[in-house]
Amino acid sequence: MNVSTFDFNNITSNDEFFRAFEQVFELSNRTISDLDLLWETVTEGAIPLPQAIEFVNLNESGRRRFGALILLFEEAEEELVGLLRFNVQA
């Protein structure tokens, strides 16, 4: 299983996360500008699966700030049973 880690010491907004996600998964043909496009990208085969996605350095304040992203990946993990694993670390 591939592991992709996103360090929230270096990510301060959803837009920065979207850009980092595009770079990590080399999505040169796709621009992610909102949560709907991110959902489509994750669940419709635009990233290699199986995949583990880890958010690191995300404290309680950051978890509140990026709650929509966390929820999206938790729901994608349920949708893609066995193909996507998601973890958040402080």
Side-chain angles (χ1 to χ4, degrees):
M1 180 172 287
N2 297 318
V3 178
S4 299
T5 302
F6 295 90
D7 185 347
F8 281 80
N9 280 337
N10 303 316
I11 297 171
T12 60
S13 69
N14 280 355
D15 287 338
E16 285 183 10
F17 175 80
F18 298 150
R19 285 191 301 274
F21 192 88
E22 291 168 3
Q23 290 176 343
V24 166
F25 291 107
E26 300 176 351
L27 300 173
S28 59
N29 63 337
R30 185 181 293 239
T31 300
I32 300 169
S33 58
D34 60 36
L35 294 171
D36 290 332
L37 291 171
L38 179 61
W39 174 261
E40 291 173 12
T41 301
V42 172
T43 61
E44 295 179 4
I47 64 171
L49 297 173
Q51 183 72 233
I53 294 179
E54 298 182 347
F55 286 8
V56 297
N57 297 315
L58 198 56
N59 60 24
E60 191 61 35
S61 172
R63 288 174 194 243
R64 284 190 302 273
R65 182 175 190 180
F66 293 103
L69 279 177
I70 293 168
L71 182 60
L72 182 143
F73 281 103
E74 288 173 344
E75 290 179 2
E77 182 178 35
E78 289 180 22
E79 181 90 11
L80 300 168
V81 177
L83 296 176
L84 180 70
R85 190 177 71 222
F86 175 64
N87 188 37
V88 179
Q89 300 174 19

